[in-house]
Amino acid sequence: MGGVEERGFLRGSDRTGQECAAGSAPRPACLAAVPRGAPAAMPHFTVVPVEDKHRADYDSVEGLSWVDYREPAAAPAAADSYDTVSSDGHGNHKENSPFLNSSEAGKGGDYYDRNLALFEEELDIRPKVSSLLGKLVNYTNLTQGVKEHEEAESTDGSKKKVSKSPSMGTLMGVYLPCMQNIFGVILFLRLTWMVGMAGVLQSFLIVLLCCCCTMLTTISMSAIATNGVVPAGGSYFMISRSLGPEFGGAVGLCFYLGTTFAGAMYILGAIEILLTYIVPQAAIFYPSGAHDASSAMLNNMRVYGTVFLILMAVVVFVGVKYVNKFASLFLACVVISILSIYAGAIKSIFDPPEFPICMLGNRTLIRDQFDVCAKTIVKDNITVASKLWENFCHNTNLTTENCDEYFLLNNVSEIAGIPGAASGILKDNLWSNYLEKGEILEKEHHPSVDAAGQKNNLHLYVLSDISTSFMVLVGIFFPSVTGIMAGSNRSGDLKDAQKSIPVGTILAIVTTSLVYFSCVLLFGACIEGVVLRDKYGDAVNKNLVVGTLSWPSPWVIVIGSFFSTCGAGLQSLTGAPRLLQAIAKDNIIPFLWVFGHGKANGEPTWALLLTALIAELGILIASLDMVAPILSMFFLMCYLFVNLACAVQTLLRTPNWRPRFKYYHWALSFLGMSICLALMFISSWYYALVAMLIAGMIYKYIEYQGAEKEWGDGIRGLSLSAARYALLRLEEGPPHTKNWRPQLLVLLKLDEDLHVKYPRLLTFASQLKAGKGLTIIGSVIQGNFLETYGEAQAAEQTIKNMMDIEKVKGFCQVVVANKVREGIAHLIQSCGLGGMKHNTVVLGWPYGWRQSEDPRSWKTFIGTVRCTTAAHLALLVPKNVSFYPSNHERYNEGNIDVWWIVHDGGMLMLLPFLLKQHKVWRKCKMRIFTVAQMDDNSIQMKKDLATFLYQLRIEAEVEVVEMHNSDISAYTYERTLMMEQRSQMLRQMRLTKTEREREAQLVKDRHSIARLESLYSDEEDEGDPVPENIQMTWTKEKCDAEKRNRGSAVGSFRDLISIKPNQSNVRRMHTAVKLNEVIVNRSHDARLVLLNMPGPPKNTDGDENYMEFLEVLTEGLERVLLVRGGGREVITIYS
């Protein structure tokens, strides 16, 4: 490498060496520094390790972690980043940049890219692995929701907060939020009542069913959540990306409605606690009569519920940070309340609390109606009537004439409301004791005399307010196990979501399930059955039944449950609008777009307003027991689809399905799905149907609107699997004649602007198919695939747009080929897949072929006809397609005439029948004409044809046209003569044109012409292409031959006058003229004429004449469909 030096370094190498020693020069320059006095044989390097001063400047550009840190100092010598060889002006060749130097940095030639020079042209679209990994590592998963809005509110305009990376662990991020969401109002207000009604055993079954449902759903959810990074958005994101936009939108809205109604339920629970147990005197409405108590209570719930809802909505609107700050307080209330239940249960073993119940016979009395549980009391040694006597006998003098009969015959007794865990009451509470609405709570096996009581005294007893059954209790209890999505909804805040979500959620479900099971057991073992069945604690002096068991005071649970239900309501009103906002921002349900907007900080104002309105509907229902099954339905629907998503992904084994959570199985998902479905119909079959109807309507709406979303969802994979299975089934054999229908390949012609030249071809295809079967729209672009790929894509999009306009359901395929004829042959051979292939080709007529000097205009057409015949495909050629009706036109009268000349499989019978299925042609009548020769019995032919059509179940008029043998007319002879003279003349013109081109030695650029030519007229000749510039060496022999050729060409023009037509052509022309006369005579006013298309001649010399015959055959007809069968029967008389 002697004499190889870098330009520009000879001048500055001393300086560079000093800078390197001082540590001030860029690293590449130091590496390549060459001392001035070094020998030419081999350059010496002085390598000094230095620290790059500017490293920090390039530490992160747009999130990329750059591997190389260099000074981008442009050196004037860096004219080329590649290693090139140039001259120094003294005849010595030298290489540009044989070493790494500072000039490369100026050009941007990355030091490390020297190892990737092979890929340097693609680095802009295919980044280096180091860059990609740098992006992924620096990815910060910002939370969408509470944290983001909280930061936006508290951020000053001038100072912008640096977003913190997610740091929540399993305990704080998943376990505790799930616990807080799962434990709710049902545990405190309804669990004791459920145990009393269903008994301990059936209560165990209800809890087991519900907890199994959520546990199996959690397993499925964990698999989905650990299959890649789950952005903030939680369950909605998981379902929509797993099952597609239709299911995602339907389930997302179901989950939203469930969360909204949950907010209403929590508010109703809080009002019930407030008005029944904390401040009953705050009621606005009071019962006007003894039996109006329930309606007054419902009205109070509606008024206070609306006030609470407005207050909570204002709190959420003002700032979710307040909700977030109180979340831990609300959770503490729940935990303390539950601990007080356990403490009370333990204390009841040795010191049960004093809550006596007053019984009249075996009936339970409302305690707050009297003070002493006795018929009489002794006051100053005088027996006087008690308050109880006054209530039943309506007097104070102990007379019995107005007394209730049941009151007189039965004794009043007091029993312990909380006998304690050691009392053995558990065996009495094991079995169910369901009641009808209005039934009195009675204690079994308690001494009583059966007698009819007075109806007006019913208000003194504790009554059942609703009819109960196992199914009703399932619907009421299920909301107390919902909330398992809380962890996945916070996925954006988690340090390691893929580990925390499964562990935290499963632990939360196990914990809550154990609490529910133990509570069912403790309630059954500690509390008297009639107290358990007393929903509002009337028998224990209007105390909350759970509160009677708790320690140290009933107020612990009353206050704790009140705050926890308020907190849960706030959480629901916070979460639901954000869920709606996420759905709206996905833009899959167009009418929700307005709810994607909000305040400047992203707070979903409009979504909050809608949430409040829907929650108000729940509050107007006013009954906790009526609202609970509604939200059960929506949550069960959501869980059902989570299980379905996991099962579908597992069974399809999609390549991207690689969950980190391994303890899942499709059978578990199906079991979870089945339990969800069963619970929906067990709890309330009519609510289940309504929820399914809502989800179905949303699904169809999204499908109808055409959600243009590709999320790699499982349903798409399912469709692919189903399509593959169906295609393999179709491959087993050709379709039976009964199932045959035209599967179309429509060959479209594009103009120079890549627009569809004859869109009515698509209209005709849509009318013929009416949305059934297969339609492939094919087109050919001439050129080189590498150069014209973009144009092919544009053409495909144009055709698809036109297909949408013309309502053609099908596929589009654009082929790039050097020759159009070859492209068409490729389409005919390769379109379709397996058994789903075309059997019919629709081809446009080559208009203007007579006027064109170029023979390719009709050669392509005839070549395509031959291809379809060779492939045994049917062929349809609509002539004058521009006059065909559009999809908006209607023919209220008219005929479709079929001219059945030769039988080729029954296509001519089938096509009009299929066309008449479309509204455009529906009212047209069908007429079938057939041609009889002199030796045919036309009357018998007509009868046979009518019978044949009857057996085919096709309604049509039948006519037999007799064609008499006649001499060939002078017109026919002249027509044939003109045709042959024209052919000969064009042949000579083409020949002389070639000669002129050769003499001029100039040929137009064929490729540029080809781009402007049509589908049928831009075919290249079969011969070799003429070179652009012809170099000829003239010899005497060549010159003489050329003169002779010219002389013969001139002579051939003179021969045109004396030409005689070929007899075969004359016969063919005679047939065409005669048939045309007959057809025009009978069908000149027909809406459409279907006609057998004669095949092209075997000898290619007669191709041009063949075109003329077709023209003569169809002259004078407005709309003609030339039909050529594919060589098989397509219609049958058999069923």
Side-chain angles (χ1 to χ4, degrees):
M1 293 172 66
V4 179
E5 295 172 334
E6 174 64 19
R7 283 180 297 181
F9 258 153
L10 291 176
R11 294 190 300 274
S13 60
D14 286 342
R15 186 184 72 252
T16 308
Q18 292 165 6
E19 288 174 354
C20 286
S24 60
R27 275 163 34 197
C30 293
L31 287 174
V34 182
R36 182 187 292 272
M42 190 70 190
H44 295 278
F45 296 96
T46 305
V47 181
V48 182
V50 294
E51 190 64 31
D52 193 345
K53 291 191 299 182
H54 296 269
R55 176 174 178 134
D57 298 342
Y58 298 91
D59 207 10
S60 178
V61 181
E62 293 185 3
L64 290 174
S65 294
W66 295 99
V67 180
D68 47 332
Y69 305 98
R70 296 162 298 125
E71 273 285 332
D80 193 356
S81 63
Y82 298 102
D83 294 343
T84 57
V85 179
S86 60
S87 173
D88 61 356
H90 300 286
N92 297 322
H93 291 281
K94 51 187 180 179
E95 289 182 351
N96 280 352
S97 62
F99 312 117
L100 295 166
N101 50 57
S102 60
S103 64
E104 291 173 7
K107 186 68 181 175
D110 190 330
Y111 166 71
Y112 293 95
D113 286 354
R114 283 291 163 191
N115 298 326
L116 299 174
L118 197 59
F119 302 94
E120 60 193 0
E121 290 186 0
E122 296 181 316
L123 286 178
D124 53 340
I125 55 170
R126 293 174 182 167
K128 292 179 297 180
V129 174
S130 57
S131 304
L132 175 71
L133 294 177
K135 275 185 183 176
L136 293 177
V137 169
N138 291 338
Y139 171 68
T140 55
N141 196 353
L142 289 175
T143 62
Q144 174 196 359
V146 176
K147 187 176 171 188
E148 183 184 9
H149 300 310
E150 191 179 318
E151 286 180 1
E153 283 183 357
S154 56
T155 303
D156 293 328
S158 56
K159 294 181 181 179
K160 202 169 185 180
K161 269 191 176 181
V162 179
S163 60
K164 296 176 183 176
S165 60
S167 59
M168 296 180 86
T170 305
L171 181 72
M172 294 301 293
V174 181
Y175 180 72
L176 292 179
C178 280
M179 291 270 288
Q180 183 185 355
N181 276 268
I182 293 171
F183 286 134
V185 65
I186 302 293
L187 170 64
F188 303 118
L189 293 185
R190 294 292 183 269
L191 191 58
T192 52
W193 173 72
M194 187 187 88
V195 174
M197 290 294 181
V200 172
L201 295 179
Q202 287 194 25
S203 297
F204 267 138
L205 183 59
I206 291 171
V207 174
L208 182 68
L209 261 176
C210 295
C211 290
C212 279
C213 175
T214 52
M215 179 59 86
L216 292 169
T217 304
T218 300
I219 290 171
S220 299
M221 184 192 75
S222 300
I224 297 171
T226 58
N227 186 47
V229 179
V230 178
S235 54
Y236 163 69
F237 181 90
M238 290 191 299
I239 296 165
S240 60
R241 268 55 176 182
S242 296
L243 288 179
E246 293 91 357
F247 277 112
V251 179
L253 278 185
C254 282
F255 193 51
Y256 163 73
L257 291 171
T259 311
T260 305
F261 275 105
M265 185 189 75
Y266 289 130
I267 291 171
L268 289 174
I271 302 302
E272 187 177 308
I273 294 168
L274 181 74
L275 294 181
T276 311
Y277 308 114
I278 300 178
V279 278
Q281 58 271 22
I284 299 170
F285 301 94
Y286 290 96
S288 55
H291 305 290
D292 292 339
S294 62
S295 60
M297 181 64 179
L298 291 178
N299 287 329
N300 285 323
M301 300 269 276
R302 289 182 181 113
V303 173
Y304 276 98
T306 305
V307 172
F308 263 56
L309 177 64
I310 292 168
L311 287 173
M312 287 183 176
V314 168
V315 169
V316 173
F317 178 75
V318 167
V320 289
K321 57 184 175 183
Y322 303 116
V323 180
N324 236 17
K325 284 175 182 172
F326 286 112
S328 52
L329 172 66
F330 298 140
L331 180 60
C333 291
V334 174
V335 173
I336 291 168
S337 302
I338 291 170
L339 290 176
S340 72
I341 294 172
Y342 286 114
I346 293 167
K347 178 178 173 289
S348 73
I349 298 173
F350 48 86
D351 183 16
E354 289 289 327
F355 282 102
I357 303 165
C358 191
M359 307 290 295
L360 176 61
N362 63 352
R363 296 180 178 178
T364 314
L365 295 172
I366 294 177
R367 190 69 205 220
D368 66 343
Q369 303 278 354
F370 52 89
D371 45 3
V372 180
C373 184
K375 292 185 180 181
T376 59
I377 53 173
V378 178
K379 192 181 284 186
D380 299 331
N381 289 329
I382 300 169
T383 303
V384 294
S386 66
K387 181 72 174 170
L388 195 60
W389 183 280
E390 289 181 24
N391 287 338
F392 277 98
C393 296
H394 311 292
N395 63 55
T396 55
N397 55 9
L398 297 179
T399 55
T400 60
E401 63 263 11
N402 292 326
C403 281
D404 189 293
E405 186 183 353
Y406 187 85
F407 177 74
L408 291 174
L409 295 176
N410 287 282
N411 293 326
V412 175
S413 59
E414 253 188 354
I415 59 171
I418 314 290
S423 63
I425 195 75
L426 179 62
K427 64 178 184 296
D428 294 335
N429 290 332
L430 281 176
W431 310 108
S432 62
N433 197 339
Y434 297 116
L435 299 174
E436 292 298 318
K437 184 177 181 181
E439 235 180 292
I440 300 169
L441 269 62
E442 297 178 348
K443 179 173 172 57
E444 285 186 14
H445 312 303
H446 202 68
S448 69
V449 178
D450 196 16
Q454 295 176 5
K455 278 192 175 180
N456 57 357
N457 290 328
L458 282 175
H459 67 283
L460 300 171
Y461 300 109
V462 180
L463 304 175
S464 171
D465 64 333
I466 63 168
S467 299
T468 52
S469 65
F470 180 81
M471 297 182 177
V472 170
L473 294 181
V474 167
I476 291 173
F477 176 74
F478 188 79
S480 62
V481 295
T482 60
I484 59 172
M485 300 288 188
S488 63
N489 288 344
R490 290 167 173 258
S491 54
D493 301 327
L494 300 174
K495 192 189 301 179
D496 184 2
Q498 298 192 353
K499 178 186 172 188
S500 298
I501 289 175
V503 174
T505 311
I506 290 171
L507 280 178
I509 289 177
V510 169
T511 308
T512 52
S513 301
L514 289 174
V515 169
Y516 285 135
F517 281 121
S518 57
C519 282
V520 166
L521 192 63
L522 289 176
F523 294 160
C526 298
I527 304 176
E528 171 59 50
V530 288
V531 178
L532 286 173
R533 288 189 288 281
D534 181 6
K535 188 187 285 185
Y536 301 110
D538 293 324
V540 285
N541 210 10
K542 294 285 184 184
N543 273 303
L544 182 61
V545 175
V546 183
T548 59
L549 180 63
S550 65
W551 180 87
S553 163
W555 286 102
V556 174
I557 280 200
V558 171
I559 301 298
S561 60
F562 176 74
F563 279 115
S564 70
T565 47
C566 286
L570 277 172
Q571 293 279 6
S572 297
L573 289 178
T574 306
R578 279 161 188 75
L579 183 60
L580 182 64
Q581 189 180 37
I583 297 168
K585 281 186 173 176
D586 263 345
N587 199 28
I588 55 173
I589 305 175
F591 68 82
L592 291 181
W593 67 271
V594 68
F595 300 110
H597 307 295
K599 289 199 288 187
N601 62 352
E603 186 74 22
T605 314
W606 293 107
L608 176 63
L609 185 63
L610 180 68
T611 303
L613 289 173
I614 296 173
E616 177 64 19
L617 294 177
I619 284 166
L620 291 177
I621 295 172
S623 169
L624 189 70
D625 305 316
M626 294 290 286
V627 174
I630 295 174
L631 68 102
S632 293
M633 286 310 121
F634 290 124
F635 278 120
L636 280 166
M637 182 81 76
C638 179
Y639 297 166
L640 184 147
F641 281 108
V642 170
N643 285 303
L644 176 65
C646 181
V648 165
Q649 297 275 37
T650 309
L651 287 174
L652 288 176
R653 297 194 182 103
T654 48
N656 192 47
W657 181 247
R658 302 185 298 274
R660 222 171 258 289
F661 180 78
K662 299 297 180 188
Y663 308 102
Y664 69 93
H665 193 269
W666 64 265
L668 291 176
S669 299
F670 267 115
L671 181 62
M673 196 168 68
S674 307
I675 293 175
C676 287
L677 196 61
L679 284 175
M680 285 175 72
F681 282 94
I682 283 172
S683 54
S684 175
W685 64 267
Y686 44 89
Y687 279 160
L689 290 177
V690 169
M692 286 179 162
L693 183 67
I694 291 171
M697 286 168 63
I698 297 165
Y699 178 94
K700 293 309 289 182
Y701 175 77
I702 296 171
E703 189 180 55
Y704 174 75
Q705 284 293 323
E708 299 286 334
K709 302 285 179 186
E710 175 50 65
W711 287 333
D713 51 88
I715 294 298
R716 189 173 177 82
L718 194 62
S719 302
L720 284 170
S721 294
R724 173 182 163 275
Y725 175 76
L727 283 170
L728 289 173
R729 287 290 304 274
L730 281 174
E731 192 75 358
E732 292 173 5
H736 191 274
T737 306
K738 288 187 289 186
N739 297 328
W740 195 96
R741 65 166 60 246
Q743 317 288 10
L744 301 182
L745 168 60
V746 182
L747 295 174
L748 271 194
K749 182 177 182 180
L750 302 177
D751 61 17
E752 56 269 21
D753 296 325
L754 299 180
H755 294 143
V756 178
K757 197 160 186 181
Y758 299 112
R760 283 295 162 86
L761 271 177
L762 291 175
T763 314
F764 172 70
S766 70
Q767 291 168 7
L768 185 61
K769 299 297 290 178
K772 305 288 192 305
L774 174 72
T775 305
I776 302 171
I777 311 299
S779 190
V780 178
I781 290 182
Q782 189 170 357
N784 187 318
F785 178 72
L786 295 177
E787 296 168 2
T788 54
Y789 175 72
E791 290 181 22
Q793 294 291 95
E796 193 167 321
Q797 193 55 50
T798 304
I799 294 173
K800 282 180 179 174
N801 294 341
M802 187 58 70
M803 288 169 70
D804 287 340
I805 293 168
E806 297 294 342
K807 295 183 171 59
V808 176
K809 305 271 187 204
F811 309 98
C812 173
Q813 190 159 353
V814 176
V815 169
V816 178
N818 288 327
K819 296 182 179 180
V820 172
R821 197 181 304 176
E822 288 176 4
I824 291 174
H826 294 159
L827 282 173
I828 290 172
Q829 291 176 75
S830 60
C831 274
L833 182 64
M836 214 39 188
K837 290 181 76 72
H838 57 277
N839 55 28
T840 306
V841 176
V842 179
L843 182 63
W845 179 260
Y847 302 101
W849 68 272
R850 279 175 170 163
Q851 288 74 33
S852 172
E853 293 182 6
D854 195 344
R856 295 172 298 181
S857 58
W858 44 266
K859 276 189 176 180
T860 301
F861 175 79
I862 298 175
T864 307
V865 174
R866 287 198 171 100
C867 281
T868 54
T869 307
H872 300 291
L873 302 175
L875 177 66
L876 306 179
V877 180
K879 198 160 179 279
N880 303 329
V881 75
S882 303
F883 297 115
Y884 277 56
S886 70
N887 284 325
H888 305 294
E889 294 180 47
R890 299 282 187 283
Y891 285 150
N892 294 321
E893 56 182 4
N895 300 314
I896 299 176
D897 286 357
V898 176
W899 283 85
W900 193 17
I901 315 295
V902 293
H903 179 63
D904 55 359
M907 279 282 287
L908 285 167
M909 312 292 169
L910 188 62
L911 291 173
F913 171 77
L914 294 174
L915 278 174
K916 275 166 66 69
Q917 308 302 308
H918 197 273
K919 57 192 175 184
V920 172
W921 304 93
R922 190 164 292 151
K923 294 187 179 178
C924 290
K925 292 180 180 176
M926 184 172 160
R927 296 191 301 182
I928 295 184
F929 297 90
T930 189
V931 176
Q933 300 300 319
M934 284 297 292
D935 52 350
D936 292 331
N937 186 342
S938 57
I939 298 171
Q940 189 61 39
M941 276 180 71
K942 187 170 183 177
K943 285 182 182 177
D944 293 345
L945 184 55
T947 307
F948 180 57
L949 289 176
Y950 177 77
Q951 289 172 337
L952 286 176
R953 290 92 61 206
I954 290 177
E955 293 181 10
E957 292 180 26
V958 176
E959 287 193 41
V960 177
V961 178
E962 294 182 354
M963 287 186 69
H964 301 287
N965 286 338
S966 61
D967 295 332
I968 294 171
S969 64
Y971 169 75
T972 304
Y973 192 84
E974 287 293 324
R975 190 81 188 251
T976 313
L977 182 62
M978 284 168 59
M979 175 184 77
E980 294 197 359
Q981 283 179 342
R982 179 182 174 281
S983 299
Q984 187 69 17
M985 191 182 300
L986 286 173
R987 203 172 292 124
Q988 296 301 332
M989 284 171 67
R990 283 196 293 274
L991 191 63
T992 53
K993 186 179 177 184
T994 307
E995 299 299 332
R996 285 200 308 272
E997 285 173 350
R998 286 177 60 191
E999 287 177 6
Q1001 298 186 355
L1002 288 171
V1003 173
K1004 292 179 183 178
D1005 183 6
R1006 300 180 76 95
H1007 290 291
S1008 62
I1009 295 170
R1011 296 312 313 278
L1012 305 175
E1013 297 277 22
S1014 65
L1015 179 66
Y1016 302 119
S1017 65
D1018 61 357
E1019 189 63 63
E1020 293 185 7
D1021 282 332
E1022 300 300 322
D1024 295 330
V1026 181
E1028 289 189 13
N1029 204 2
I1030 304 169
Q1031 301 290 342
M1032 296 183 67
T1033 304
W1034 291 94
T1035 62
K1036 189 173 187 300
E1037 292 77 10
K1038 277 190 180 181
C1039 188
D1040 293 341
E1042 194 68 24
K1043 287 177 181 177
R1044 281 197 301 273
N1045 286 339
R1046 276 189 211 169
S1048 63
V1050 173
S1052 62
F1053 275 111
R1054 298 194 191 104
D1055 294 339
L1056 283 175
I1057 304 164
S1058 58
I1059 197 170
K1060 287 189 177 181
N1062 184 297
Q1063 284 303 310
S1064 172
N1065 287 343
V1066 171
R1067 284 201 316 276
R1068 287 190 174 90
M1069 182 65 78
H1070 175 69
T1071 306
V1073 169
K1074 291 290 289 181
L1075 268 176
N1076 180 254
E1077 283 177 8
V1078 173
I1079 294 169
V1080 170
N1081 184 34
R1082 298 294 186 95
S1083 301
H1084 60 88
D1085 57 347
R1087 298 294 186 186
L1088 180 66
V1089 175
L1090 283 83
L1091 183 63
N1092 283 116
M1093 180 178 180
K1098 292 177 182 176
N1099 184 3
T1100 56
D1101 291 342
D1103 283 358
E1104 196 168 2
N1105 300 336
Y1106 170 71
M1107 294 297 297
E1108 188 69 34
F1109 295 143
L1110 292 181
E1111 285 281 11
V1112 171
L1113 187 62
T1114 55
E1115 263 180 2
L1117 297 171
E1118 189 178 17
R1119 283 179 287 271
V1120 186
L1121 180 62
L1122 294 169
V1123 180
R1124 186 160 172 74
R1128 63 160 293 170
E1129 291 293 328
V1130 300
I1131 196 164
T1132 178
I1133 62 173
Y1134 299 106
S1135 62

